[in-house]
Amino acid sequence: NAGVMQNPRHLVRRRGQEARLRCSPMKGHSHVYWYRQLPEEGLKFMVYLQKENIIDESGMPKERFSAEFPKEGPSILRIQQVVRGDSAAYFCASSPEEDGELFFGEGSRLTVL
Amino acid sequence: SQKIEQNSEALNIQEGKTATLTCNYTNYSPAYLQWYRQDPGRGPVFLLLIRENEKEKRKERLKVTFDTTLKQSLFHITASQPADSATYLCAHPRAAGNKLTFGGGTRVLVKP
């Protein structure tokens, strides 16, 4: 049973470009979470999704950021018109139920030049 | 607003000793707390979950306590080994749906 798969592991973008980060949850997991981690800082919650639904996006900036978890395929975190402050590690986690432990991917590290 | 705080200073400890990490929370009484381990460049890995009605939980050389009066959880690594060197994160759910709020983590360095 493969773990949470994130890709790309590393992504470099220039200011103004778009970044798309993908996350395939563990098999059987229908709850997906995205977190952002800045260097030397803790994990900050961004968004919680279930299949085809955004349950809570209270941690996600209102502009330029969007997330989806379609019926088929991975969850996508999309950042439009990236700025240098978007440089961070973005972690996806999944869980089989609403409560309990989270299973994290290895993260996608975005660098904005 | 909810806050969850961990000692931001790194903990340097000699191999074989017990490392004790502190997690304090405010303004909220979570139903449970979770502890994760994160190695550099890797994603966090779940270690232990302790519920509010449990005073103590153990897993191999790890022990977690949960004091709802003090609003504090202690995380102990007994007989520490260099391989235990990592950052340890405390987390609790903000509300239904398991949206965990994480502390800033405490880095542990076990010296041989």
Side-chain angles (χ1 to χ4, degrees), chain B residues 15-109:
Chain B
E15 182 176 7
K17 301 293 186 185
T18 297
T20 298
L21 287 64
T22 304
C23 173
N24 295 298
Y25 59 92
T26 59
N27 299 335
Y28 178 63
S29 296
Y32 58 82
L33 285 168
Q34 298 186 19
W35 284 87
Y36 289 77
R37 168 184 173 142
Q38 186 175 25
D39 290 282
R42 308 291 299 274
V45 175
F46 172 79
L47 295 174
L48 282 164
L49 180 154
I50 184 166
R51 299 194 181 276
E52 59 181 340
N53 60 350
E54 298 174 314
K55 286 210 180 312
E56 181 181 298
K57 200 87 168 272
R58 289 176 185 263
K59 178 183 176 182
E60 298 173 354
R61 294 183 294 107
L62 307 179
K63 185 179 85 171
V64 173
T65 63
F66 192 0
D67 189 326
T68 55
T69 302
L70 293 177
K71 297 195 173 190
Q72 181 181 82
S73 175
L74 298 179
F75 179 84
H76 306 271
I77 308 172
T78 59
S80 59
Q81 303 169 1
D84 295 327
S85 299
T87 296
Y88 292 86
L89 305 168
C90 171
H92 70 57
R94 297 193 300 170
N98 201 24
K99 299 179 291 291
L100 292 179
T101 295
F102 283 84
T106 299
R107 189 178 302 176
V108 173
L109 178 60

Side-chain angles (χ1 to χ4, degrees), chain A residues 8 12 17-18 31 38 47 57 59 73 78 92 101 110-111:
Chain A
V12 179
Q17 291 184 318
E18 178 179 290
H31 303 260
L38 294 169
V47 61
E57 55 183 349
R78 183 183 178 203
C92 172
E101 69 180 274
L110 172 65
T111 301

Side-chain angles (χ1 to χ4, degrees), chain A residues 70-108:
Chain A
K71 188 176 180 181
E72 302 290 338
S75 175
I76 306 284
L77 179 66
R78 183 183 178 203
I79 312 172
Q80 295 177 289
Q81 300 174 323
V82 296
V83 301
R84 289 219 173 104
D86 296 333
S87 296
Y90 292 84
F91 288 96
C92 172
S94 71
S95 65
E97 53 193 25
E98 204 172 21
D99 198 7
E101 69 180 274
L102 295 185
F103 295 81
F104 281 86
E106 297 290 27
S108 291

